[in-house]
Amino acid sequence: MTRLSRRGFLGLVGAAGAGVALAGCGLGSTPGQTGEQLASALPLPDPFRVPLPVPPVTRPTGTDPSGADLYRVTQRVADLEILPGTRTPVLGYDGIFPGPTFETRRGRPVVVLHRNELPVPTVVHLHGGHTPAESDGWPLDLVLPVGSTADPMTHHGMLGDLAAGEREYRYPMDQRAATLWYHDHRMDFTGPATYRGLAGFHLVRDDVEDALPLPRGERELPLMICDRAFAADGSFAYPGLDQGMRSVPGVEDDWMEGVLGDVVLVNGAPWPVHEVDAARYRLRLLNSSNARRYRLVLQVPGASDLPLVQIGSDGGLLAAPVTHQALDLAAGERFDVVVDFTALPVGTEVTMVNPLGTGRTTDIMRFRVVRTAKDDSRVPERLADVEPLVPPPGASRRTFRFTRGAVGDHRGWAINGTSFDPERSLADVPLGWTEVWRFVSDVHHPVHVHLDAFQVLRRGSFGPGPYDGGWKDTVDIRPGEIVDVAVRFEHYAGKFVFHCHNLEHEDMAMMATIRTV
Ligand code: C2O
Ligand code: CU
Ligand code: CU
C-alpha cells in the first residue's frame, strides 16, 4: 500500500474541500465503545492477585536560576514484570510505568528537564496544565534521542522546535489543585508511545484543598486505568503500521476505530488487589487508555453497590459533592471520588467492575478490607468555589464536527473535514473571551482542549450530563451527540491544539491547531 506523506495529503484534502464521511460502516462491534479489541497471545493471570503498585513521588533535584523547583526525568527503555513471570519492554519516564508522580503546589513554578534516552523522538505534554505554548508539548517540538540529529524526513519535512537530547518544560502551576497527567504527544505517534508506557500522574495541590477534611496520605490513591494486549514474547502488542514508530502514522485498518486491549492494568498491574482499612478513601481516577471507555461500579457481595462520591473533575474540586452509583470515564478524563469502606466488615472484598467491558475487561481491580481503623475524614457539603463560565450575549460560537475523513488515500479522522495541519489555525480566540464551542460526533470522540479547562453547557437538548460537572478539559461525546461547552483561554498567547483523545483518532489526524491572540 502506498501512502502519501502528510504534506502531500494536506494539499489533496485542501483541494477536495472536505473529507469523506463514512459513518455507519463497521461500527458497534463492542457496545459503549469505539474501537476493536486486540487479543493477547499469552495466558493471562488470574485477577486480584497482584498487589496494586503506587507510583513513587518524584522530588526536585534543586532550584533553577529563576527560582523554580527543578525536576529531572530520564525517558528510557526498561524491562518490567507486568504479567507475573513475564518481561515487558516499556518506554518509561525514569524507566517505570506509570512514570513517577509529580506533586506540585499552586503558585510554585516548576521546571522539568526531560532527557530522551529512547530510540525515538518524544514530546511531553502536561494534560490539564495551564502552560505557555513553548512548554505545552506542541506535537512537532521534538526532543530528539540523545546523540541523534534531526532527520528532516521524519514528520514529513515539517519542523518544529527541535531539542537535542534534552528539553526544559516550564510549568507556572498558576492553577487550581487538580489531577493532571503527563504523556507523550508526538505528532502521528502519541498512540503507540503512550501505549508503550509514556504516561504518569501530576497532582497539583493548593491551600483550598488542604483545608478540607478529605482522606489523605495512604488513603489517597491515584489510579491510572488502561487496557493493553500482550504479544507472545511478553511485549505490548500494538497494531501500528510502523512498529519502529518512525515515519508511517496510524494503525492497521481493523483497528482504526481505536485499539482496545484485553488486559486491564491499574497503575501498571493487571487486575490488582489493594488492602484497605475500613475507612474512607480518596481515589483519583484517570482513564489513560488509548480508546477504551469504562463504567466503574463498586460491587460488594450480598450488599448494594458502594456509591462513588465525586469531589472533583479534570480541573479540580467541584463546588459540592455528587454521588454516583456508576461512573463513566472516557479516554483522558479524570474523576476524583471518595469511597466509604467504614461500614464494611473486615474481610469484605469490594470489586471494581466495568459493565462496558466484555470477557476479562469487565473486571478492573479489587479492594480487600483488612482492618478496622479510626477515620476523621469526611466529605464536606461545600468543597470549593467554581466560577460559572457564562458566555455573554453575542459570544462567538464555533462548531466542530468530529467524523471519519480521508487522510490522503487512507481512511482516517477529521475535524470539520480537515486533517491536522500545524500551519493552519481552525480558531483564533482572543484571550479572556468566553466562547461557545459545539462538538458534534459520529462515533465516540472524547474531545480534549489544551491550555484551559472548559464547562459543559448542554448535552443535546438537555443540560450537562451527570459526569459533566465542574471544570472539564476532556468531554465524552457519544455517537451522534451534540455537546456545547463554554471555553475561555487566559494568559498565554500562542499555538495550541485540541483533539480527540482516542489516540488512534488523534494520530490519524483528528487534531486541530488553535491560536490564542
Ligand atoms: Cu492528554 Cu493533547 O492530550
Ligand atoms: Cu492536554
Ligand atoms: Cu475520536
Side-chain angles (χ1 to χ4, degrees), residues 190-404:
T190 294
T194 304
Y195 192 92
R196 294 186 194 285
L198 291 173
F201 277 103
H202 184 133
L203 312 180
V204 185
R205 300 190 183 276
D206 68 10
D207 297 345
V208 174
E209 186 193 78
D210 282 357
L212 299 176
L214 297 170
R216 59 185 77 230
E218 306 262 280
R219 296 187 190 155
E220 179 190 350
L221 292 170
L223 299 177
M224 177 190 283
I225 304 173
C226 63
D227 57 337
R228 296 290 184 265
F230 291 83
D233 64 0
S235 62
F236 287 133
Y238 186 79
L241 293 172
D242 182 347
Q243 290 289 321
M245 297 165 59
R246 299 205 163 270
S247 54
V248 185
V251 288
E252 293 170 28
D253 271 357
D254 285 354
W255 284 276
M256 71 161 286
E257 305 270 333
V259 176
L260 307 177
D262 57 356
V263 177
V264 178
L265 303 179
V266 183
N267 292 347
W271 301 288
V273 59
H274 191 62
E275 296 190 340
V276 293
D277 299 341
R280 276 173 286 274
Y281 277 73
R282 176 178 183 182
L283 310 180
R284 295 175 180 262
L285 302 162
L286 156 66
N287 179 359
S288 70
S289 305
N290 282 34
R292 186 178 288 280
R293 297 171 73 248
Y294 300 88
R295 175 165 298 157
L296 305 183
V297 174
L298 292 169
Q299 285 183 341
V300 186
S304 46
D305 297 340
L306 273 193
L308 299 122
V309 179
Q310 186 189 353
I311 56 167
S313 184
D314 300 334
L317 291 169
L318 302 180
V322 178
T323 300
H324 302 283
Q325 291 304 318
L327 193 60
D328 285 10
L329 271 83
E333 285 188 299
R334 287 89 69 214
F335 286 89
D336 204 339
V337 301
V338 172
V339 170
D340 189 350
F341 299 113
T342 48
L344 302 179
V346 166
T348 307
E349 294 186 320
V350 178
T351 307
M352 185 187 280
V353 297
N354 168 36
L356 291 185
T358 49
R360 299 286 311 267
T361 61
T362 56
D363 284 326
I364 308 284
M365 68 171 291
R366 178 168 284 176
F367 298 94
R368 186 175 295 134
V369 180
V370 292
R371 64 186 88 77
T372 55
K374 176 165 155 339
D375 186 359
D376 298 328
S377 74
R378 59 190 178 83
V379 178
E381 293 296 310
R382 297 287 315 157
L383 294 165
D385 291 333
V386 176
E387 172 204 358
L389 211 46
V390 182
S396 298
R397 291 171 177 270
R398 305 175 196 268
T399 298
F400 300 104
R401 293 174 195 282
F402 289 75
T403 63
R404 292 157 174 277

Side-chain angles (χ1 to χ4, degrees), residues 34 257 402 413 442-446 500-502 505-506 510:
T34 290
E257 305 270 333
F402 289 75
W413 299 94
D442 54 357
V443 292
H444 290 95
H445 297 294
C500 180
H501 220 288
N502 174 316
H505 298 190
E506 176 181 342
M510 190 172 254

Side-chain angles (χ1 to χ4, degrees), residues 125 127 181 183 185 448 450 499 501:
H125 170 57
H127 180 137
W181 62 301
H183 60 82
H185 215 297
H448 169 50
H450 284 215
H499 57 87
H501 220 288

